[in-house]
Amino acid sequence: MLNFTRCQHLKQITQKCFSSAPVKVQTCTQLLLSRTFARSELGKSWHSTHSLVGDKNIILMGPPGAGKTTVGRIIGHKLGCCVIDVDDDILEKTWNMSASEKLQDVGNEQFLEEEGKAILNLSASGSVISLSGSNPMHDASMWHLKKNGIVVYLDVPLVDIISRLKSMKIDRIVGQNSGTPMRDLLKHRRLCYKKWYDARVFCESGASPEEVADKVLDVVKRYQDVDSETFISTRYFCPKDHDKRFPPKYFTEAVIEGLASDGGLFVPEKEFPKLSCGEWKSLIGANYVERAQILLERCIHPADIPATKLGEMIETAYGDNFACSKIAPVRHLSGNQFILELFYGPTGSFKDLSLQLMPHIFAYCIPPGCNYVILVATSGDTGSAVLNGFSHLNKNDKQRIAVVTFFPENGVSDFQKAQIVSSQRENGWAIGVKSDFDFCQTTIKKIFNDSDFTGFLAVEYGTILSSANSINWARLLPQVVYHASAYLDLVGQGFISFGSPVDVCIPTGNFGNILAAVYAKMMGIPIRKFICASNQNHVLTDFIKTGHYDLRNRKLAQTFSPSIDILKSSNLERHLYLMANKDGQLMSNLFNQLESQLHFQIEKILVEKLQQDFVADWCSEGECLEAISTTYNTSGYILDPHTAVAKVVADRMQDKTCPVIISSTAHYSKFAPAVMQALKIKELNQTSSSQLYLLGSYNALPPPHEALLERMKQQGKMDYQVCAADVSVLKGHVEKLIQNWFIKKSE
C-alpha cells in the first residue's frame, strides 16, 4: 500500500525542480501528486487486514463454459466470503425461469436489456460474483459492477470453450443467430470482454478449476499491491552507514524520466515475470497483437496503465501501419537459419516495433497540462521512427509533446538522412550534428544530467525533457515481444517443438535489441546462445571475448551498416547489472571509469558468466557485400547490410546443432547503394527513388516496401538545421525550439 512518506518524496523531487516555478509548472507538480494519491487510494480501497477482498467484489467474467461458477465457488471457499452466481442467484430468481428459457421467450435484444436491469439492482460487497457470459454486452450494468470491484477475465482457449459447451449440450448462446458458427460468435464476444477487464487470467488448455482459482487470487493480489513492481537505477547503491533507502520509481515515472538522475538506466527491481510452458503453448496460435497484450500486461502494472487501455494502445500501434499483417514474420532462409523480418513498419526498420507503441505509452504516463520535449540521438533508423511514431498522437498530445532528433550529419546513409528530414512534422524536428552518433548520445545524457539546464527549462518554460532512445524502458520493453513471437512462429510452423532451444544472431550496436532477447529468455523462451554481430566498430565483440571495454585509440568507422556504427553501447549497462547480481556500485564505478578513462575491465568471473550465454564476432565491409550477393544468388533473398553482418557472423559462429534466428533489422531499400554495389548493379548514380524502383524490379524477397517507395515519391526538399559538435550549441537549439513550439503557440 502506498503511504504518505512515498508521496512526500515525490513532492520533494518536484519542489526541487520547480521551487520558483510559475503557475503552469506548479500545476504540473500538483497533477503528478494527484496521480500518486490516486494510486494510493487504489491500494487503500483493496486493503484489509482480514481478507484479500475487503469491501470490494471479485467479479469473474468470461464466455459460457469458462468455468466462472466453479472457480467462483472455490475462491469463495478459500476466502470465506459470499459467492453470487448471476445466472442462478439473480436472473432465475428474478424471472422465475432459467436463462435459456428466458432467451427463447424474449429473444437476444430484449434478453440483454432485462439481464442488464437485473444487474443494476444488485448491491454487494466483499463477494465473489460470477457473471453470465452475456453480462459484458450491457454497458450500464458493467459500469455499475466496476464501481465496487475488480473484473477478472478468465481467458480460456476457444478449443476448450467449444469442447465444454458441447459436453454441456449448449448449442445456442446470447447473440447467436441462425447459421452463425459458435467459434465466430465467441471470437466476437472477446471484443466485449476486452472492454471491461481489470486483470486477465490467461488459462492454459486443460487447466483445472483449482489452478484457475489460484491464478485469480494471484492477479487480484497483484492488482491491489500497487507498490509491487517498481524500477531502480542500475547505479543505485546504499552506503553501509546510510540507512535511508532511495525510493524506487513506478513504471510511469521511469518512462517520463527516461534516464535516472544518477546517470544510470532504469530496470525492474523484481525479476521479469515468467510464463509457464502451458501459457506459452496457448500463445502459439495467437496473432502478434494478442501475444503483445499478454506479455506486456505481465510487465506493466495495471495501476500504471490499465489493461484495457494498454490493449487499445497495442491495437493502434500494430495495425494497418504495418505492411505485413503478421507484423514481425519469420521466414526460412536455408538449412537451419531463419530470418526474423522486423522491417514492415512505416519507416522500414525494427525501431518501428517499439516506436509505434512507445509514444502512446508516454502520452498516457505524463500528467495532463505539462509540456515535454523528447530528445533523441539516432545512428540512422531511430530518428525517422521516433518522428513518425510521435506524429500519430492525437492533436492534444501533439500540442504538449515535441520531439528533437539529433543525427550525425555525415554518419548516416543518404536515404536515412532524407527519411529523417522528411519525417519532420509540426511537433518534430531533425538537427544534423557535425560529429558521430556517440557524441550525439553522450551529449543527450549530459543534457539530462545538467540539473541547472533542466531546472531552467522547467521554471522558465514549464517544459520537461525526456528520451525515446532505448535508454527509455518504454522503448526497450516492446522489443521483447517480437523475440518471443519469432520462437512461437517457428513452433507453429512445425520447424521445432516447444522447449527445443534456438540461437539468436543480432546485429548489435547499442545492445538494446539483443538485451530484449535476453529478457525474452527470462520470460521463458528457450534461447540457448545470443550471437552478437558487429561490423568494423567491434568494441562489443572484443568486450565479450575479453571482458575489456576499451575505447582508447579506437576511432569510429563509417560502414555500410551505419545503425550499428556505435562505440558506447548504452544498454550493455543493464545486462552487466544483471550479471553482477544488481551491484549498482560496480556499475557506477565501471561506467564512470569509461567516461573518464575510456575503458574498463570486468573480473574474470563476470567474463565467464557473460560467455556462458554470449558469443560474438565481427564482419568486414567486403564480407558484408559478399553475404548480400551470395544470399541473393542462392536464395533469391536480399539482405540489408545490417542483416548481412549478422548472416556472416551466424555462418561463422553457429555450431549447426540448433536453429538460429537472424534478426533482419531494416529493409534493404534503405541501403540501396550498398545493395546495388553488392549485386554489381552498375546504375549507381541515380536518385534514391530510382534506386528503390530498380531494386524492386528484381522480384526478390522480401517484396519492395511500399511505404518507403511512397515516401520517396512524395519527398520534396525539406529544410533542417545543422549545428557544431558543441553541447552548449545543442542546448541552444533545444531552448529555441521550446520557445517556438510551446511559448509562441500559447501566446
Side-chain angles (χ1 to χ4, degrees), residues 52-327:
L52 177 69
V53 180
D55 63 349
K56 297 287 185 177
N57 300 311
I58 296 176
I59 303 162
L60 301 181
M61 178 184 72
K68 301 180 294 295
T69 298
T70 305
V71 170
R73 288 172 181 157
I74 295 171
I75 294 171
H77 178 74
K78 285 176 177 284
L79 298 180
C81 64
C82 177
V83 179
I84 301 172
D85 182 82
V86 166
D87 275 334
D88 295 342
D89 301 324
I90 306 297
L91 301 182
E92 290 193 11
K93 290 181 179 179
T94 300
W95 297 333
N96 292 318
M97 65 174 70
S98 69
S100 60
E101 290 172 332
K102 184 72 171 179
L103 177 60
Q104 286 183 334
D105 187 31
V106 301
N108 289 323
E109 190 172 332
Q110 186 64 27
F111 179 92
L112 289 173
E113 190 60 33
E114 293 193 27
E115 182 185 50
K117 287 180 180 178
I119 296 299
L120 288 170
N121 291 324
L122 173 63
S123 178
S125 64
S127 302
V128 178
I129 302 174
S130 299
L131 299 181
S132 75
S134 55
N135 284 154
M137 299 170 72
H138 191 272
D139 288 4
S141 62
M142 288 303 296
W143 284 119
H144 172 69
L145 290 167
K146 279 176 72 74
K147 287 178 183 176
N148 195 43
I150 171 176
V151 178
V152 180
Y153 171 33
L154 303 187
D155 189 359
V156 180
L158 278 180
V159 64
D160 284 23
I161 293 293
I162 292 172
S163 174
R164 292 174 191 177
L165 292 178
K166 283 182 179 178
S167 66
M168 296 161 64
K169 297 183 179 179
I170 296 176
D171 56 6
R172 184 188 174 195
I173 61 177
V174 179
Q176 186 173 13
N177 298 313
S178 177
T180 304
M182 182 70 75
R183 177 178 291 273
D184 291 348
L185 181 60
L186 290 171
K187 285 183 177 180
H188 179 72
R189 279 276 188 96
R190 282 188 166 182
L191 300 177
C192 295
Y193 302 143
K194 286 166 69 173
K195 283 173 55 178
W196 300 113
Y197 72 91
D198 298 302
R200 182 205 308 248
V201 170
F202 188 49
C203 304
E204 302 175 25
S205 183
S208 70
E210 290 77 13
E211 291 171 328
V212 175
D214 287 340
K215 282 192 170 188
V216 170
L217 294 176
D218 287 341
V219 300
V220 172
K221 288 176 185 176
R222 181 194 182 213
Y223 183 85
Q224 70 173 0
D225 190 355
V226 296
D227 289 345
S228 63
E229 295 170 26
T230 50
F231 290 75
I232 199 163
S233 169
T234 50
R235 300 188 191 182
Y236 169 75
F237 64 95
C238 188
K240 293 181 180 179
D241 58 348
H242 198 282
D243 60 355
K244 188 175 180 181
R245 186 175 182 275
F246 186 79
K249 302 286 186 180
Y250 294 128
F251 173 86
T252 48
E253 294 172 307
V255 170
I256 291 170
E257 295 178 27
L259 188 69
S261 58
D262 59 9
L265 305 181
F266 287 117
V267 288
E269 277 201 287
K270 294 168 61 175
E271 297 298 321
F272 253 79
K274 189 165 187 176
L275 276 68
S276 68
C277 178
E279 288 174 324
W280 282 119
K281 287 181 177 179
S282 295
L283 283 174
I284 292 170
N287 62 34
Y288 192 88
V289 167
E290 292 166 340
R291 291 168 181 173
Q293 288 176 341
I294 294 291
L295 298 181
L296 295 181
E297 280 177 21
R298 296 289 180 92
C299 298
I300 301 174
H301 196 282
D304 287 301
I305 303 179
T308 51
K309 185 64 181 177
L310 180 62
E312 291 172 9
M313 295 178 189
I314 291 169
E315 289 179 354
T316 300
Y318 306 121
D320 294 340
N321 48 338
F322 278 77
C324 176
S325 61
K326 293 183 178 179
I327 309 300

